[in-house]
Structure formats: structure tokens, C-alpha cells
Amino acid sequence: MRRHPADCAASARTPMALVQAVLQAYAQRGLAPAGALAKAQIPPSDAQDATRRITALQFERLCQAAMQELDDEAPGWFSRRLPWGSYGMLARASIGAPSLGVALARWCRHHGLLTQDVTLTLTTQGDEAAVTIAEHRPLGALREFALLSLLRNLHGLACWLADSQLPLREAGFPFPAPPHADVYERLFPGPVCFGTAQAGLRFDAHALALPLRRDATALDQMLRRALPILVWPYRRDRLLSRRVRQLMRQPGTTHTAETLAGALALSPRSLHRQLRAEGTSLQQLKDEVRQARATELLLRTRQPIGRVARAAGFQNDKSFIRAFKGWTGLTPQALRERGG
């Protein structure tokens, strides 16, 4: 397979159909895209070949150039341009919110100040939240790119604000699955459905209670290079399993699925589902934390076995010894005598 000059270490997965959507925005203005293609290191001949793909970095550079050259952060999507900085303005209006839910509500409400061609609405029903897009005029040839980008941008910003990957119950799109449907599965962390009544995202309502972990200074830094939010899935640097371990390790605490879920702004069902997606379970994490705590006490202190058992969360010595032998193949006393 031919390698593109930009970001050769990355695989080319972004479909050329998205590149062609950007080029369509140039055509609508009667402008030539040669400069933007050159900045993204995309040969014009490649741009006409629907079977080719480019890297996410190339697409980021193409969008950056196009949005600045066209002075339109929604290149060709709407009946009026969204001048450079429009979405940054929405982000600034949301950054001071007390929770992710308030931030998303502000984003959706203020988006109506930018365009009346679409309306973004945040709703909740039971334990589920949803952001939907109502279309008030035909979006034409750029409809797919517009709806995909609007939802990807909103989800990427939500993940960035909470500094956490936000799993989705569904990402829905009101058109048939395109030939490049696989890219949707990479951009949206959850089931993707086509042919839905409206474009939208469905996710656990508990996520709306998450606090924002970014401030105005972080926002200024992010806005200097905001496009990765659109073209890259959010980096999972705060895996749920890691956060569960941290909560379980807090001294003097005994957690259940309900208390852990509450601390993480999830439902117990979502907690179990997301841990399964990470290849683990609540019981497995509990055992890991208990084993680590017990081993540390056995090797670094001379505390009686009974006290070690209670410190590791066991009610009695017998259940602790049985569990410890299952984990390590040794009794607690044997481990202590061996010195690890």
C-alpha cells in the first residue's frame, strides 16, 4: 500500500469521501482547494479516488486550512458562514458550568445563535440522556459531513471537558450506512446505527453530573489546536478501571457497586458494562486491591493475620486465608515466611 508523506507512522483510515466533502465547500464558493490539499500533503489526483484513505493528521490539516481560508468553521454546511472562532466562543460560554450537563445544555442552546439551519437539543429520560439534531433546511451534499462533524465535535468536547472517555449507548444517523461506515465505529465509542429518525447521541444520564476538569487556561491552550477533538477519538487516559481502583484504595472506605457508581456519576449497570468493555470486572478489581493491600501488610509489617484480614476488607480470618490462597497459591503465613 502506498504511504502518504504526512504522519507515515499512522495508518491511513480516514475515507476520501470526507476529503471530497471539504472540497465541495470550496466548489460552492468558486475557490480552488490546491493550497489546502498541499498543506495536508494530499495529491489532487488522490482526492478524486474514493477508494483511497488518508491519515487523521492529514485530515486535521486539511480542515484547519479550509476553515481558515473559507473563514467558515462549518465549511459549506449551513446557509451562512460560521466565522473562524465561532465554536471557540461556544466553548468559552460553557467552560464555567458547574457540571457537564449544564455545559452541554449551554452548548446546544448557544449553537442556535450561530445558525438556525439545525437545532441541537439535550434531553433526559430516566437514566438516559440524548443530544439530537433537528434539521430545518436541506443540508444537501454536505449533510453527512455536517451531521457527523456536529456530533463528533460535541462528543469530543464533552470528553475533553470531563477529561474522561464517555461511552455511548448509541450514535444514530438519519441516512443509510455509507461505504466507509467503519470510520464511525472508530469515532464513536458505542453502537452506531444508520437510518434513524434524527442524528443524535444517547448516553448514561449520570454522566451529566460529572464536574468539569478543565479551566479557562486549559481552554485557551486547547483552542490553539482544537481540531483533534473532531478527527481523533478522545485518548482514554482516565480508564474507568483505574478510577475504580483509586476509589477502592482510599483508606477507611468500603465500597459497593452502588457507592462506586455514585462516586463516578454512573448507574451500577453502566459501571459493570463499561468495566466489561475494558476487559475486567468489579470483583476482579476488588480482588486485585485486596490482594495488593494484604501482601503489603504481610511483608512490611508484623500485624497479626486477623488484623491484615480486616484491613483487606474481610470479615474473618478463614475467608481471608481461603481467598488469599486462591490468589497466590500460598497461605498468608506462608507468604510472610517466604518474604514474598
Side-chain angles (χ1 to χ4, degrees), residues 87-118:
Y87 282 114
M89 179 184 67
L90 294 194
R92 294 187 189 284
S94 302
I95 194 66
S99 67
L100 183 61
V102 175
L104 292 181
R106 288 180 183 175
W107 177 275
C108 292
R109 182 171 65 253
H110 293 151
H111 198 277
L113 300 175
L114 301 181
T115 179
Q116 296 183 345
D117 292 351
V118 298

Side-chain angles (χ1 to χ4, degrees), residues 165-193:
Q165 178 65 277
L166 301 178
L168 299 173
R169 293 187 180 184
E170 180 186 279
F173 297 91
F175 42 76
H180 47 271
D182 60 299
V183 75
Y184 286 75
E185 298 175 359
R186 288 194 296 275
L187 291 177
F188 297 98
V192 176
C193 296

Side-chain angles (χ1 to χ4, degrees), residues 18 21-22 59 63 75 77 142-150 230:
L18 299 185
V22 175
F59 190 61
C63 290
W77 306 345
L142 295 181
R143 185 189 188 210
E144 180 198 350
F145 184 38
L147 296 179
L148 165 64
S149 300
L150 285 170
L230 173 62

Side-chain angles (χ1 to χ4, degrees), residues 10 27 46 86 132 161 163 166 183 198 213 231 331:
D46 284 7
S86 295
T132 54
L161 288 171
D163 192 18
L166 301 178
V183 75
Q198 289 182 308
R213 301 185 181 277
V231 300
T331 65

